[in-house]
Amino acid sequence: MKFFNKIFLVSGIAIMLSSCTNELDVQPEGTPTEASFWKTENDLITGANAMYKPLFDGEFYGRGLFWFINASDDMVTGRAKSEADNAKNFSSNYIAAGDLETQWNKRYNVIGVANRVIRNIDNIQTSAAVKNKYLGEALFMSSRMYFELAYTYGNEKAGIPIIDRTKEPDTNPIPRAANVMDNYNYIVADLKRAAELLPAQEQLLAKDYGRPHKAAAWALLAKVYLFMKDWQNAAYWANEVMTKGNRTLLANYADVFKAENNYSTEYIWSLPGTPKFTAWGSILPGVMLENKGWGLYNGWGYFQPTKELYDEYEAGDLRRSATILKLGDKFTFNGSERTYASSNSLTGYQFNKYMDAFKYALNSGHVSANGDYPCTDLAVPIMRYAEVVLIKAEAKIMMGQNADQEINMIRTRAGLASKNGCTLADLKHERRCELAGEWADRHRDLVRWGDAQGTYAQPLHGISGQIVWAARNFNPSIHNVWAVPQVEIVNSHGVIKQNQGW
C-alpha cells in the first residue's frame, strides 16, 4: 500500500466522486492545502465524495476480490487467465501477478480518505446534522474496507494493519495487527458509532441513494459478528435490521436484480450503476456475459456456474432460472428472444441474475456503450436484506435456537414448501441458492464452516457431467486466508509479513 500511500488531500479531490447522480459535484478552485481546505460544508462534501470514486474501478467491485469468490464450487474461470486459475487452485503462483496484487492497496486508499474526513470534520463550519451524516459515512466506509481486508488476509495468526487516523499519514510501514479479532473489534466499535450517526435510508434524498445508511451499518455489524462467531450479537444486529430497518423481501426473487428496484426494500448496500451518465458501475454484469456477447457486445465470459450449483436447487425453486441460464433456455438479449448457446462456456451455463439490463436494445442506455467497461444500470448488490435474514437464521441455529421462521421467509419467496426443525445443513443450502454469484462470498462461507477442504477435494462439472475443473488441494491451515500482495511486503521492507504457508 506504499505505506498507505500518504493519501494527500489533492489526490483525494482529484478522484472526487459526486453523489450517485453527480448532483454533489463540487469542483475546487486552485490547489487546496490541508490547512486551507477543511473549512466549509462544500469542502466536507468534496472530501467525503472522494471515498466513493475508487469503488468504480473495474477491479474493485467488478472483478478484483471476485477472483477469490471464484475459488468456490459454484463457478469456474471461463477464460484462460493465469493468476485467476492459480488462485482458484490455491497455488502461490498467483502472488505478485495481475489484478489481485492491487486489492489491498485499493482498499487502504479508501480508508485513507475516510480517515481524512474523520480527522478534519471538527474544523468544518456546518450543522451538527451534516457533520453526523458524513462522519457516519466515513466510519462505515472505513469499516467496510477493513472488513473486506480482514476476512481476506487476516486470521488468528495475524490481522491486517490498523492506521492511526488521529495522525497525518507518513512513510513508515505499519505492522499487522496481532490477529484478525483485533481488526473485527476495531470495526465493530466504528460501526456502532456509524449506526448512531447515519440517517435511515428513507431519510436520504434521491440524489444520495447509494450512500451508507443506518440499516447498512446494522447489517454489516451482523455480518462481522457472524465472522467472529459471536452468534448472540450477530442475531441481535440482524434483528435490528429486520425490526427497525423498514426492510422486506421483494415478492419476486428475480426483481431484486432489476434496475428499477435498485433501492427497494431489499436494498442494503450496493455499487450504483449509472451508464447513461458516467459509465460508472460494477462491470460484473459484463464480466459474466458470454465472451463477445454473441457478436453484439463485449462480454468477458468469466465466472461460469457449475453443474454442482445448478443441481443444488430443488425442483420448483424459482431462484434457479433467475440465477442460471443453461443451454437451450429462452431469454431476451438486445430486444430479441434468443436460445442460450455458447461458444465460450466451459460448463454450458451462464449466470443470469445480472442479465436484465441486456434485454433492452443495447443502445437504449441500460448498458454502458463502452464494452471495455461493461457496467449496466443495475446497482450490483454488495449486501442485501435476504442475507441479513440468513445471518439471523445461522446465528440462531448455532445457539441451538429454532430458525424455521427466518429460513421459511427465504423458501416461501423461492416458491418452496416450508420446513420444520431446520438444521445448519438447511441454512447452508438456502444461503448457497439464495446468494449464488454474489459478493456474499460462497468461498468464504465454506472456509468459515470448515467445509472447504472436503468440498474442493471433488472435481467440478459441466452440464453434460464432464469434468471442467479438477479436484484441488485445500489446506485449512494455510488457505483459510489469501496471500498478502508481494508488493506490500517488499515496500514495507519486511515489516508486513506474509501469511504462513503462502
Side-chain angles (χ1 to χ4, degrees):
M1 74 201 95
K2 302 186 181 112
F3 314 131
F4 311 104
N5 264 352
K6 290 193 70 177
I7 302 174
F8 294 107
L9 177 62
V10 173
S11 66
I13 293 174
I15 63 169
M16 179 190 63
L17 174 67
S18 65
S19 74
C20 305
T21 55
N22 281 357
E23 303 255 351
L24 288 180
D25 194 1
V26 183
Q27 294 288 353
E29 296 181 2
T31 302
T33 65
E34 180 78 5
S36 66
F37 182 71
W38 296 97
K39 302 293 184 184
T40 70
E41 184 174 314
N42 278 351
D43 294 343
L44 176 57
I45 293 169
T46 301
N49 284 343
M51 294 187 294
Y52 301 99
K53 175 71 179 294
L55 276 57
F56 290 89
D57 182 300
E59 301 308 331
F60 205 111
Y61 284 132
R63 294 187 300 177
L65 291 182
F66 215 93
W67 293 120
F68 291 151
I69 297 174
N70 180 61
S72 85
D73 55 341
D74 280 357
M75 62 189 85
V76 299
T77 308
R79 293 166 54 198
K81 188 172 177 66
S82 59
E83 68 265 31
D85 294 349
N86 285 327
K88 186 171 180 68
N89 289 328
F90 309 108
S91 165
S92 60
N93 289 331
Y94 90 81
I95 300 173
D99 304 325
L100 288 170
E101 189 75 354
T102 68
Q103 296 304 304
W104 174 294
N105 189 45
K106 288 179 189 297
R107 282 159 177 80
Y108 273 111
N109 281 343
V110 177
I111 290 169
V113 179
N115 284 350
R116 283 200 174 273
V117 174
I118 297 166
R119 187 167 54 251
N120 290 284
I121 200 161
D122 286 341
N123 300 328
I124 301 296
Q125 298 174 0
T126 188
S127 69
V130 171
K131 285 186 179 182
N132 287 345
K133 177 179 181 294
Y134 288 106
L135 178 56
E137 286 188 19
L139 290 165
F140 177 90
M141 291 301 297
S142 173
S143 297
R144 180 73 214 186
M145 297 302 105
Y146 272 125
F147 179 57
E148 292 177 6
L149 289 163
Y151 76 65
T152 300
Y153 302 109
N155 60 13
E156 72 285 354
K157 300 173 184 176
I160 57 162
I162 299 175
I163 304 172
D164 184 352
R165 62 167 59 120
T166 66
K167 300 177 181 178
E168 284 295 308
D170 59 39
T171 58
N172 294 316
I174 301 172
R176 300 177 65 177
N179 57 69
V180 76
M181 292 300 287
D182 287 350
N183 296 125
Y184 289 153
N185 286 323
Y186 181 86
I187 294 166
V188 161
D190 274 0
L191 281 174
K192 287 180 178 178
R193 190 176 177 206
E196 293 173 355
L197 296 169
L198 286 168
Q201 166 70 14
E202 56 270 21
Q203 293 175 306
L204 294 176
L205 300 175
K207 64 185 179 66
D208 284 342
Y209 286 175
R211 290 180 179 271
H213 52 91
K214 195 175 295 291
W218 291 339
L220 186 52
L221 267 168
K223 189 161 184 175
V224 175
Y225 276 122
L226 190 77
F227 276 58
M228 296 172 74
K229 301 187 186 302
D230 184 337
W231 314 121
Q232 184 172 354
N233 274 309
Y236 174 85
W237 289 105
N239 191 64
E240 289 291 281
V241 180
M242 295 175 68
T243 58
K244 300 177 183 177
N246 295 317
R247 307 287 93 184
T248 59
L249 298 176
L250 295 181
N252 180 15
Y253 179 80
D255 287 345
V256 176
F257 306 98
K258 296 178 179 179
E260 56 264 36
N261 296 314
N262 278 344
Y263 303 107
S264 71
T265 57
E266 189 144 349
Y267 164 74
I268 294 292
W269 197 62
S270 303
L271 187 68
T274 54
K276 292 181 182 177
F277 305 105
T278 62
W280 281 343
S282 172
I283 63 172
L284 193 61
V287 168
M288 288 184 170
L289 180 68
E290 169 77 7
N291 187 30
K292 304 303 181 185
W294 303 283
L296 298 173
Y297 190 75
N298 188 28
W300 294 12
Y302 292 118
F303 307 142
Q304 297 166 355
T306 60
K307 189 174 190 293
E308 281 71 18
L309 174 60
Y310 186 86
D311 289 347
E312 180 74 14
Y313 292 92
E314 301 167 52
D317 191 331
L318 301 175
R319 295 172 296 191
R320 179 158 62 184
S321 61
T323 301
I324 300 173
L325 277 174
K326 71 177 190 304
L327 295 175
D329 281 350
K330 299 292 184 181
F331 70 108
T332 301
F333 185 81
N334 193 27
S336 300
E337 186 177 78
R338 299 178 66 97
T339 300
Y340 177 64
S342 176
S343 59
N344 164 243
S345 179
L346 295 178
T347 64
Y349 303 107
Q350 178 181 296
F351 277 108
N352 192 35
K353 60 173 49 172
Y354 303 114
M355 284 286 288
D356 186 71
F358 291 103
K359 72 185 180 186
Y360 303 101
L362 292 173
N363 62 1
S364 64
H366 292 277
V367 173
S368 170
N370 180 5
D372 291 332
Y373 199 95
C375 62
T376 73
D377 55 359
L378 174 69
V380 170
I382 307 301
M383 191 173 185
R384 59 187 177 85
Y385 181 59
E387 184 177 5
V388 176
V389 176
L390 290 169
I391 287 172
K392 184 180 178 185
E394 182 173 348
K396 289 177 71 175
I397 289 171
M398 296 304 290
M399 291 188 292
Q401 299 175 11
N402 185 287
D404 291 356
Q405 180 179 356
E406 290 78 15
I407 286 178
N408 287 329
M409 287 172 61
I410 302 298
R411 289 183 59 82
T412 298
R413 202 242 314 250
L416 299 172
S418 296
K419 287 185 174 180
N420 295 316
C422 292
T423 65
L424 185 59
D426 294 315
L427 178 281
K428 292 177 179 179
H429 168 76
E430 295 305 329
R431 188 169 172 91
R432 185 181 191 185
C433 293
E434 180 71 22
L435 302 171
E438 299 184 38
W439 278 92
D441 199 339
R442 163 76 175 170
H443 166 70
R444 187 53 49 192
D445 285 344
L446 292 171
V447 172
R448 65 186 182 83
W449 289 329
D451 295 342
Q453 185 174 29
T455 298
Y456 296 155
Q458 303 300 317
L460 299 174
H461 299 83
I463 192 170
S464 300
Q466 76 277 20
I467 293 176
V468 295
W469 211 272
R472 295 166 286 159
N473 180 24
F474 179 91
N475 184 339
S477 66
I478 297 173
H479 303 136
N480 63 341
V481 286
W482 295 98
V484 174
Q486 187 64 25
V487 66
E488 309 302 338
I489 297 170
V490 171
N491 285 347
S492 75
H493 304 290
V495 171
I496 295 174
K497 306 294 185 182
Q498 182 56 274
N499 282 320
Q500 293 181 20
W502 280 104

PDB file of all heavy atoms in Angstrom, residues 413-439:
ATOM      1  N   ARG A 413     -40.488 -17.253  -0.612  1.00  0.00           N
ATOM      2  CA  ARG A 413     -40.280 -16.388  -1.772  1.00  0.00           C
ATOM      3  C   ARG A 413     -39.753 -17.196  -2.963  1.00  0.00           C
ATOM      4  O   ARG A 413     -40.037 -16.875  -4.117  1.00  0.00           O
ATOM      5  CB  ARG A 413     -39.302 -15.265  -1.398  1.00  0.00           C
ATOM      6  CG  ARG A 413     -39.446 -14.054  -2.325  1.00  0.00           C
ATOM      7  CD  ARG A 413     -38.253 -13.695  -3.130  1.00  0.00           C
ATOM      8  NE  ARG A 413     -36.970 -13.654  -2.504  1.00  0.00           N
ATOM      9  CZ  ARG A 413     -36.293 -12.550  -2.269  1.00  0.00           C
ATOM     10  NH1 ARG A 413     -36.809 -11.376  -2.563  1.00  0.00           N
ATOM     11  NH2 ARG A 413     -35.075 -12.604  -1.757  1.00  0.00           N
ATOM     12  N   ALA A 414     -39.011 -18.254  -2.690  1.00  0.00           N
ATOM     13  CA  ALA A 414     -38.461 -19.090  -3.759  1.00  0.00           C
ATOM     14  C   ALA A 414     -39.489 -20.069  -4.328  1.00  0.00           C
ATOM     15  O   ALA A 414     -39.171 -20.823  -5.260  1.00  0.00           O
ATOM     16  CB  ALA A 414     -37.255 -19.860  -3.236  1.00  0.00           C
ATOM     17  N   GLY A 415     -40.714 -20.064  -3.769  1.00  0.00           N
ATOM     18  CA  GLY A 415     -41.748 -20.963  -4.270  1.00  0.00           C
ATOM     19  C   GLY A 415     -41.661 -22.360  -3.701  1.00  0.00           C
ATOM     20  O   GLY A 415     -42.215 -23.310  -4.283  1.00  0.00           O
ATOM     21  N   LEU A 416     -41.002 -22.512  -2.558  1.00  0.00           N
ATOM     22  CA  LEU A 416     -40.778 -23.821  -1.968  1.00  0.00           C
ATOM     23  C   LEU A 416     -41.603 -24.010  -0.706  1.00  0.00           C
ATOM     24  O   LEU A 416     -41.989 -23.045  -0.048  1.00  0.00           O
ATOM     25  CB  LEU A 416     -39.292 -23.990  -1.627  1.00  0.00           C
ATOM     26  CG  LEU A 416     -38.326 -23.907  -2.808  1.00  0.00           C
ATOM     27  CD1 LEU A 416     -36.882 -23.897  -2.312  1.00  0.00           C
ATOM     28  CD2 LEU A 416     -38.554 -25.063  -3.785  1.00  0.00           C
ATOM     29  N   ALA A 417     -41.841 -25.261  -0.364  1.00  0.00           N
ATOM     30  CA  ALA A 417     -42.598 -25.593   0.839  1.00  0.00           C
ATOM     31  C   ALA A 417     -41.772 -25.264   2.075  1.00  0.00           C
ATOM     32  O   ALA A 417     -40.539 -25.346   2.072  1.00  0.00           O
ATOM     33  CB  ALA A 417     -42.957 -27.076   0.835  1.00  0.00           C
ATOM     34  N   SER A 418     -42.461 -24.921   3.135  1.00  0.00           N
ATOM     35  CA  SER A 418     -41.789 -24.622   4.393  1.00  0.00           C
ATOM     36  C   SER A 418     -41.196 -25.888   4.996  1.00  0.00           C
ATOM     37  O   SER A 418     -41.618 -27.012   4.701  1.00  0.00           O
ATOM     38  CB  SER A 418     -42.773 -24.009   5.383  1.00  0.00           C
ATOM     39  OG  SER A 418     -43.241 -22.760   4.920  1.00  0.00           O
ATOM     40  N   LYS A 419     -40.198 -25.707   5.842  1.00  0.00           N
ATOM     41  CA  LYS A 419     -39.567 -26.812   6.552  1.00  0.00           C
ATOM     42  C   LYS A 419     -39.732 -26.617   8.054  1.00  0.00           C
ATOM     43  O   LYS A 419     -39.844 -25.484   8.530  1.00  0.00           O
ATOM     44  CB  LYS A 419     -38.071 -26.889   6.226  1.00  0.00           C
ATOM     45  CG  LYS A 419     -37.742 -27.408   4.832  1.00  0.00           C
ATOM     46  CD  LYS A 419     -36.222 -27.549   4.670  1.00  0.00           C
ATOM     47  CE  LYS A 419     -35.880 -28.207   3.344  1.00  0.00           C
ATOM     48  NZ  LYS A 419     -34.393 -28.356   3.188  1.00  0.00           N
ATOM     49  N   ASN A 420     -39.693 -27.706   8.768  1.00  0.00           N
ATOM     50  CA  ASN A 420     -39.724 -27.669  10.229  1.00  0.00           C
ATOM     51  C   ASN A 420     -38.423 -28.233  10.778  1.00  0.00           C
ATOM     52  O   ASN A 420     -37.837 -29.164  10.211  1.00  0.00           O
ATOM     53  CB  ASN A 420     -40.896 -28.496  10.766  1.00  0.00           C
ATOM     54  CG  ASN A 420     -42.241 -27.919  10.362  1.00  0.00           C
ATOM     55  OD1 ASN A 420     -42.444 -26.708  10.432  1.00  0.00           O
ATOM     56  ND2 ASN A 420     -43.156 -28.786   9.943  1.00  0.00           N
ATOM     57  N   GLY A 421     -37.984 -27.658  11.893  1.00  0.00           N
ATOM     58  CA  GLY A 421     -36.764 -28.150  12.525  1.00  0.00           C
ATOM     59  C   GLY A 421     -35.538 -27.957  11.661  1.00  0.00           C
ATOM     60  O   GLY A 421     -34.701 -28.869  11.538  1.00  0.00           O
ATOM     61  N   CYS A 422     -35.407 -26.786  11.083  1.00  0.00           N
ATOM     62  CA  CYS A 422     -34.303 -26.526  10.156  1.00  0.00           C
ATOM     63  C   CYS A 422     -32.953 -26.680  10.849  1.00  0.00           C
ATOM     64  O   CYS A 422     -32.763 -26.253  11.995  1.00  0.00           O
ATOM     65  CB  CYS A 422     -34.424 -25.130   9.573  1.00  0.00           C
ATOM     66  SG  CYS A 422     -35.841 -24.933   8.465  1.00  0.00           S
ATOM     67  N   THR A 423     -32.022 -27.264  10.135  1.00  0.00           N
ATOM     68  CA  THR A 423     -30.680 -27.539  10.654  1.00  0.00           C
ATOM     69  C   THR A 423     -29.662 -26.626   9.984  1.00  0.00           C
ATOM     70  O   THR A 423     -29.989 -25.856   9.067  1.00  0.00           O
ATOM     71  CB  THR A 423     -30.302 -28.990  10.369  1.00  0.00           C
ATOM     72  OG1 THR A 423     -30.220 -29.163   8.935  1.00  0.00           O
ATOM     73  CG2 THR A 423     -31.348 -29.956  10.931  1.00  0.00           C
ATOM     74  N   LEU A 424     -28.413 -26.757  10.420  1.00  0.00           N
ATOM     75  CA  LEU A 424     -27.342 -25.992   9.774  1.00  0.00           C
ATOM     76  C   LEU A 424     -27.213 -26.389   8.310  1.00  0.00           C
ATOM     77  O   LEU A 424     -26.922 -25.541   7.458  1.00  0.00           O
ATOM     78  CB  LEU A 424     -26.014 -26.226  10.507  1.00  0.00           C
ATOM     79  CG  LEU A 424     -24.816 -25.404  10.011  1.00  0.00           C
ATOM     80  CD1 LEU A 424     -25.075 -23.912  10.115  1.00  0.00           C
ATOM     81  CD2 LEU A 424     -23.555 -25.801  10.769  1.00  0.00           C
ATOM     82  N   ALA A 425     -27.447 -27.640   7.982  1.00  0.00           N
ATOM     83  CA  ALA A 425     -27.410 -28.068   6.579  1.00  0.00           C
ATOM     84  C   ALA A 425     -28.471 -27.339   5.759  1.00  0.00           C
ATOM     85  O   ALA A 425     -28.237 -26.952   4.604  1.00  0.00           O
ATOM     86  CB  ALA A 425     -27.610 -29.582   6.484  1.00  0.00           C
ATOM     87  N   ASP A 426     -29.645 -27.135   6.336  1.00  0.00           N
ATOM     88  CA  ASP A 426     -30.690 -26.377   5.642  1.00  0.00           C
ATOM     89  C   ASP A 426     -30.255 -24.933   5.432  1.00  0.00           C
ATOM     90  O   ASP A 426     -30.490 -24.352   4.363  1.00  0.00           O
ATOM     91  CB  ASP A 426     -31.987 -26.406   6.444  1.00  0.00           C
ATOM     92  CG  ASP A 426     -32.609 -27.785   6.533  1.00  0.00           C
ATOM     93  OD1 ASP A 426     -32.664 -28.463   5.488  1.00  0.00           O
ATOM     94  OD2 ASP A 426     -33.025 -28.183   7.630  1.00  0.00           O
ATOM     95  N   LEU A 427     -29.620 -24.361   6.435  1.00  0.00           N
ATOM     96  CA  LEU A 427     -29.138 -22.990   6.317  1.00  0.00           C
ATOM     97  C   LEU A 427     -28.093 -22.884   5.213  1.00  0.00           C
ATOM     98  O   LEU A 427     -28.126 -21.965   4.381  1.00  0.00           O
ATOM     99  CB  LEU A 427     -28.561 -22.532   7.661  1.00  0.00           C
ATOM    100  CG  LEU A 427     -27.928 -21.142   7.820  1.00  0.00           C
ATOM    101  CD1 LEU A 427     -26.525 -21.040   7.276  1.00  0.00           C
ATOM    102  CD2 LEU A 427     -28.816 -20.065   7.212  1.00  0.00           C
ATOM    103  N   LYS A 428     -27.162 -23.809   5.178  1.00  0.00           N
ATOM    104  CA  LYS A 428     -26.119 -23.788   4.151  1.00  0.00           C
ATOM    105  C   LYS A 428     -26.732 -23.901   2.757  1.00  0.00           C
ATOM    106  O   LYS A 428     -26.295 -23.223   1.814  1.00  0.00           O
ATOM    107  CB  LYS A 428     -25.130 -24.925   4.384  1.00  0.00           C
ATOM    108  CG  LYS A 428     -24.285 -24.763   5.636  1.00  0.00           C
ATOM    109  CD  LYS A 428     -23.379 -25.981   5.849  1.00  0.00           C
ATOM    110  CE  LYS A 428     -22.507 -25.816   7.078  1.00  0.00           C
ATOM    111  NZ  LYS A 428     -21.633 -27.006   7.311  1.00  0.00           N
ATOM    112  N   HIS A 429     -27.720 -24.739   2.616  1.00  0.00           N
ATOM    113  CA  HIS A 429     -28.406 -24.917   1.328  1.00  0.00           C
ATOM    114  C   HIS A 429     -29.085 -23.615   0.898  1.00  0.00           C
ATOM    115  O   HIS A 429     -28.933 -23.170  -0.252  1.00  0.00           O
ATOM    116  CB  HIS A 429     -29.434 -26.030   1.460  1.00  0.00           C
ATOM    117  CG  HIS A 429     -30.401 -26.131   0.320  1.00  0.00           C
ATOM    118  ND1 HIS A 429     -30.071 -26.677  -0.900  1.00  0.00           N
ATOM    119  CD2 HIS A 429     -31.706 -25.735   0.216  1.00  0.00           C
ATOM    120  CE1 HIS A 429     -31.124 -26.626  -1.716  1.00  0.00           C
ATOM    121  NE2 HIS A 429     -32.126 -26.055  -1.052  1.00  0.00           N
ATOM    122  N   GLU A 430     -29.802 -22.982   1.804  1.00  0.00           N
ATOM    123  CA  GLU A 430     -30.514 -21.757   1.439  1.00  0.00           C
ATOM    124  C   GLU A 430     -29.550 -20.612   1.143  1.00  0.00           C
ATOM    125  O   GLU A 430     -29.775 -19.820   0.233  1.00  0.00           O
ATOM    126  CB  GLU A 430     -31.490 -21.349   2.535  1.00  0.00           C
ATOM    127  CG  GLU A 430     -32.628 -22.314   2.751  1.00  0.00           C
ATOM    128  CD  GLU A 430     -33.427 -22.606   1.491  1.00  0.00           C
ATOM    129  OE1 GLU A 430     -33.540 -21.719   0.621  1.00  0.00           O
ATOM    130  OE2 GLU A 430     -33.935 -23.741   1.386  1.00  0.00           O
ATOM    131  N   ARG A 431     -28.490 -20.536   1.912  1.00  0.00           N
ATOM    132  CA  ARG A 431     -27.523 -19.466   1.665  1.00  0.00           C
ATOM    133  C   ARG A 431     -26.882 -19.640   0.282  1.00  0.00           C
ATOM    134  O   ARG A 431     -26.689 -18.670  -0.451  1.00  0.00           O
ATOM    135  CB  ARG A 431     -26.468 -19.457   2.773  1.00  0.00           C
ATOM    136  CG  ARG A 431     -25.543 -18.255   2.694  1.00  0.00           C
ATOM    137  CD  ARG A 431     -24.679 -18.088   3.933  1.00  0.00           C
ATOM    138  NE  ARG A 431     -23.688 -17.048   3.704  1.00  0.00           N
ATOM    139  CZ  ARG A 431     -23.860 -15.761   3.982  1.00  0.00           C
ATOM    140  NH1 ARG A 431     -24.986 -15.349   4.544  1.00  0.00           N
ATOM    141  NH2 ARG A 431     -22.918 -14.885   3.727  1.00  0.00           N
ATOM    142  N   ARG A 432     -26.565 -20.871  -0.067  1.00  0.00           N
ATOM    143  CA  ARG A 432     -25.962 -21.111  -1.384  1.00  0.00           C
ATOM    144  C   ARG A 432     -26.919 -20.760  -2.510  1.00  0.00           C
ATOM    145  O   ARG A 432     -26.544 -20.059  -3.457  1.00  0.00           O
ATOM    146  CB  ARG A 432     -25.534 -22.577  -1.491  1.00  0.00           C
ATOM    147  CG  ARG A 432     -24.781 -22.878  -2.781  1.00  0.00           C
ATOM    148  CD  ARG A 432     -24.392 -24.341  -2.891  1.00  0.00           C
ATOM    149  NE  ARG A 432     -23.460 -24.549  -3.989  1.00  0.00           N
ATOM    150  CZ  ARG A 432     -23.016 -25.732  -4.382  1.00  0.00           C
ATOM    151  NH1 ARG A 432     -23.409 -26.830  -3.741  1.00  0.00           N
ATOM    152  NH2 ARG A 432     -22.169 -25.831  -5.400  1.00  0.00           N
ATOM    153  N   CYS A 433     -28.147 -21.230  -2.420  1.00  0.00           N
ATOM    154  CA  CYS A 433     -29.107 -20.998  -3.501  1.00  0.00           C
ATOM    155  C   CYS A 433     -29.524 -19.534  -3.596  1.00  0.00           C
ATOM    156  O   CYS A 433     -29.734 -19.006  -4.691  1.00  0.00           O
ATOM    157  CB  CYS A 433     -30.339 -21.877  -3.303  1.00  0.00           C
ATOM    158  SG  CYS A 433     -30.023 -23.654  -3.474  1.00  0.00           S
ATOM    159  N   GLU A 434     -29.648 -18.887  -2.472  1.00  0.00           N
ATOM    160  CA  GLU A 434     -30.107 -17.500  -2.452  1.00  0.00           C
ATOM    161  C   GLU A 434     -29.052 -16.530  -2.961  1.00  0.00           C
ATOM    162  O   GLU A 434     -29.361 -15.571  -3.671  1.00  0.00           O
ATOM    163  CB  GLU A 434     -30.502 -17.114  -1.021  1.00  0.00           C
ATOM    164  CG  GLU A 434     -30.996 -15.693  -0.856  1.00  0.00           C
ATOM    165  CD  GLU A 434     -32.364 -15.439  -1.451  1.00  0.00           C
ATOM    166  OE1 GLU A 434     -33.135 -16.405  -1.624  1.00  0.00           O
ATOM    167  OE2 GLU A 434     -32.671 -14.256  -1.740  1.00  0.00           O
ATOM    168  N   LEU A 435     -27.791 -16.767  -2.625  1.00  0.00           N
ATOM    169  CA  LEU A 435     -26.744 -15.755  -2.819  1.00  0.00           C
ATOM    170  C   LEU A 435     -25.716 -16.144  -3.873  1.00  0.00           C
ATOM    171  O   LEU A 435     -24.672 -15.501  -3.989  1.00  0.00           O
ATOM    172  CB  LEU A 435     -26.047 -15.495  -1.486  1.00  0.00           C
ATOM    173  CG  LEU A 435     -26.958 -15.018  -0.355  1.00  0.00           C
ATOM    174  CD1 LEU A 435     -26.209 -14.999   0.970  1.00  0.00           C
ATOM    175  CD2 LEU A 435     -27.550 -13.643  -0.660  1.00  0.00           C
ATOM    176  N   ALA A 436     -25.996 -17.150  -4.672  1.00  0.00           N
ATOM    177  CA  ALA A 436     -25.032 -17.622  -5.676  1.00  0.00           C
ATOM    178  C   ALA A 436     -24.623 -16.497  -6.619  1.00  0.00           C
ATOM    179  O   ALA A 436     -25.456 -15.735  -7.097  1.00  0.00           O
ATOM    180  CB  ALA A 436     -25.629 -18.781  -6.476  1.00  0.00           C
ATOM    181  N   GLY A 437     -23.337 -16.427  -6.881  1.00  0.00           N
ATOM    182  CA  GLY A 437     -22.833 -15.448  -7.829  1.00  0.00           C
ATOM    183  C   GLY A 437     -22.816 -14.026  -7.318  1.00  0.00           C
ATOM    184  O   GLY A 437     -22.679 -13.084  -8.102  1.00  0.00           O
ATOM    185  N   GLU A 438     -22.913 -13.849  -6.003  1.00  0.00           N
ATOM    186  CA  GLU A 438     -22.945 -12.508  -5.416  1.00  0.00           C
ATOM    187  C   GLU A 438     -21.723 -12.287  -4.524  1.00  0.00           C
ATOM    188  O   GLU A 438     -20.973 -13.216  -4.214  1.00  0.00           O
ATOM    189  CB  GLU A 438     -24.232 -12.322  -4.614  1.00  0.00           C
ATOM    190  CG  GLU A 438     -25.501 -12.449  -5.449  1.00  0.00           C
ATOM    191  CD  GLU A 438     -26.758 -12.164  -4.659  1.00  0.00           C
ATOM    192  OE1 GLU A 438     -26.728 -11.251  -3.809  1.00  0.00           O
ATOM    193  OE2 GLU A 438     -27.760 -12.876  -4.878  1.00  0.00           O
ATOM    194  N   TRP A 439     -21.584 -11.047  -4.079  1.00  0.00           N
ATOM    195  CA  TRP A 439     -20.460 -10.667  -3.248  1.00  0.00           C
ATOM    196  C   TRP A 439     -20.550 -11.254  -1.834  1.00  0.00           C
ATOM    197  O   TRP A 439     -19.641 -11.070  -1.026  1.00  0.00           O
ATOM    198  CB  TRP A 439     -20.347  -9.138  -3.177  1.00  0.00           C
ATOM    199  CG  TRP A 439     -19.631  -8.606  -4.374  1.00  0.00           C
ATOM    200  CD1 TRP A 439     -20.186  -8.186  -5.539  1.00  0.00           C
ATOM    201  CD2 TRP A 439     -18.215  -8.467  -4.536  1.00  0.00           C
ATOM    202  NE1 TRP A 439     -19.207  -7.796  -6.428  1.00  0.00           N
ATOM    203  CE2 TRP A 439     -17.992  -7.955  -5.828  1.00  0.00           C
ATOM    204  CE3 TRP A 439     -17.124  -8.719  -3.710  1.00  0.00           C
ATOM    205  CZ2 TRP A 439     -16.712  -7.686  -6.318  1.00  0.00           C
ATOM    206  CZ3 TRP A 439     -15.851  -8.458  -4.193  1.00  0.00           C
ATOM    207  CH2 TRP A 439     -15.660  -7.952  -5.484  1.00  0.00           C
TER     208      TRP A 439
END
